[in-house]
């Protein structure tokens, strides 16, 4: 996850550290006294913190390593807040990386799920990707928002894809969003700009709409495609 915020470096760092503590406590790790350098926060879990500032900018970085067992290997989570004084856009950058390092060569790394701290950060920071706001929950696109979303779709500075789910006709939009979209989007916070296209209650669907019911439009900076919403959902496993 890579996002920016118009908030200054000190404010963004403080908010990020507060949410980091909340995330660690939810994992039942000891976040009561974190110092610069290496911290042992649980058995087989360490958290490294380092920071630097100078004429060109500043950064603060936290790196957590979890070793559940010798067979599983190591999960490494890195959280970085940085400010580049050479950046004329006057913004602070925030990056979250989760990676799995197998216990031995030849083993395939396990794919990481979206960490809980992603949603915590998006709820507390004024996160942006180009012109678009990046939030943990999808926002409804009302008729008056269409032009703004079109500008976001055409924004060359945008890095993340935009995912838009359309609501089936004659279905309660809020209930459908809670029941279907939330499940489909659950791994996307911080990885995409999330929207739900509000239905037009007074008129049936017409050919003027470019979205199909129960579908999602995924728009990257260089491509756009409409796919069934169900394909965004992970397949059930035994």
């Amino acid at each position: 996850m890579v996002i920016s915020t118009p908030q200054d470096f000190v404010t963004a760092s403080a908010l990020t550290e507060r949410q980091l503590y909340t995330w660690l406590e939810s994992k039942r790790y000891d976040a009561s006294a974190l110092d610069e350098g290496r911290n042992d926060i649980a058995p087989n879990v360490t958290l490294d913190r380092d920071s630097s500032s100078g004429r060109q900018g500043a950064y603060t970085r936290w790196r957590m390593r979890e070793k559940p067992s010798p067979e599983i290997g190591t999960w490494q989570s890195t959280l970085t807040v940085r400010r580049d004084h050479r950046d004329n856009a006057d913004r602070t950058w925030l990056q979250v990386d989760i990676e799995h390092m197998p216990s031995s060569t030849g083993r395939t790394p396990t794919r990481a799920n979206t960490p809980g701290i992603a949603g915590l950060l998006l709820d507390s920071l004024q996160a942006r990707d180009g012109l678009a706001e990046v939030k943990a929950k999808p926002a409804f696109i009302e008729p008056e928002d269409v032009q703004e979303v079109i500008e976001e779709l055409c924004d060359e500075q945008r890095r993340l894809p935009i995912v838009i789910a359309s609501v089936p006709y004659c279905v309660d939009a809020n209930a459908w969003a809670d029941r279907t979209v939330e499940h489909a989007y659950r791994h996307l916070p911080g990885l995409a700009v999330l929207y739900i296209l509000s239905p037009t209650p007074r008129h049936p669907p017409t050919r003027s709409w470019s979205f199909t019911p129960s579908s999602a439009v995924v728009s990257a900076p260089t491509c756009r495609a409409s796919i069934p919403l169900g394909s965004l959902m992970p397949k059930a496993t035994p």
Side-chain angles (χ1 to χ4, degrees), residues 8-217:
D8 62 79
F9 176 76
V10 174
T11 300
S13 296
L15 291 172
T16 298
E17 188 167 40
R18 189 179 307 164
Q19 298 310 317
L20 173 64
Y21 279 36
T22 300
W23 184 51
L24 294 177
E25 290 170 354
S26 72
K27 296 167 73 69
R28 298 185 178 181
Y29 294 161
D30 183 11
S32 58
L34 299 181
D35 298 320
E36 194 83 0
R38 176 151 297 183
N39 299 267
D40 294 313
I41 57 177
N44 301 316
V45 181
T46 61
L47 179 70
D48 297 332
R49 183 186 187 278
D50 66 289
S51 59
S52 179
S53 61
R55 295 179 60 184
Q56 294 186 347
Y59 79 88
T60 301
R61 178 173 55 203
W62 299 266
R63 176 170 289 134
M64 180 172 66
R65 294 182 176 91
E66 303 168 281
K67 299 181 180 179
S69 70
E71 295 77 18
I72 293 177
T74 302
W75 281 99
Q76 179 170 280
S77 307
T78 306
L79 172 59
T80 307
V81 182
R82 62 181 175 85
R83 182 75 172 229
D84 189 345
H85 296 325
R86 297 166 296 181
D87 186 355
N88 295 327
D90 196 27
R91 56 195 170 184
T92 302
W93 290 93
L94 188 134
Q95 182 168 341
V96 178
D97 295 301
I98 310 292
E99 58 182 320
H100 175 241
M101 295 176 286
S103 56
S104 62
T105 57
R107 289 192 175 185
T108 303
T110 302
R111 183 177 179 179
N113 290 325
T114 303
I117 194 172
L120 294 173
L121 293 171
L122 295 177
D123 286 338
S124 62
L125 293 167
Q126 299 172 20
R128 305 195 68 85
D129 178 39
L131 298 175
E133 294 184 30
V134 185
K135 299 181 179 180
K137 299 289 186 180
F140 277 94
I141 301 177
E142 304 295 345
E144 61 270 18
D145 302 322
V146 171
Q147 184 58 44
E148 182 178 336
V149 175
I150 291 176
E151 292 176 0
E152 294 173 4
L153 290 167
C154 299
D155 181 16
E156 296 182 354
Q157 300 300 316
R158 177 171 55 85
R159 297 170 176 232
L160 300 178
I162 291 179
V163 182
I164 305 175
S166 63
V167 181
Y169 186 60
C170 292
V171 171
D172 181 87
N174 292 319
W176 187 78
D178 293 339
R179 183 181 65 253
T180 303
V181 179
E182 184 174 345
H183 181 70
Y185 281 3
R186 64 192 178 119
H187 294 305
L188 297 182
L191 301 179
V193 179
L194 307 177
Y195 284 118
I196 301 174
L197 184 66
S198 295
T200 305
R202 293 175 297 177
H203 303 284
T206 67
R207 293 184 179 180
S208 63
W209 292 105
S210 60
F211 307 106
T212 57
S214 302
S215 70
V217 173

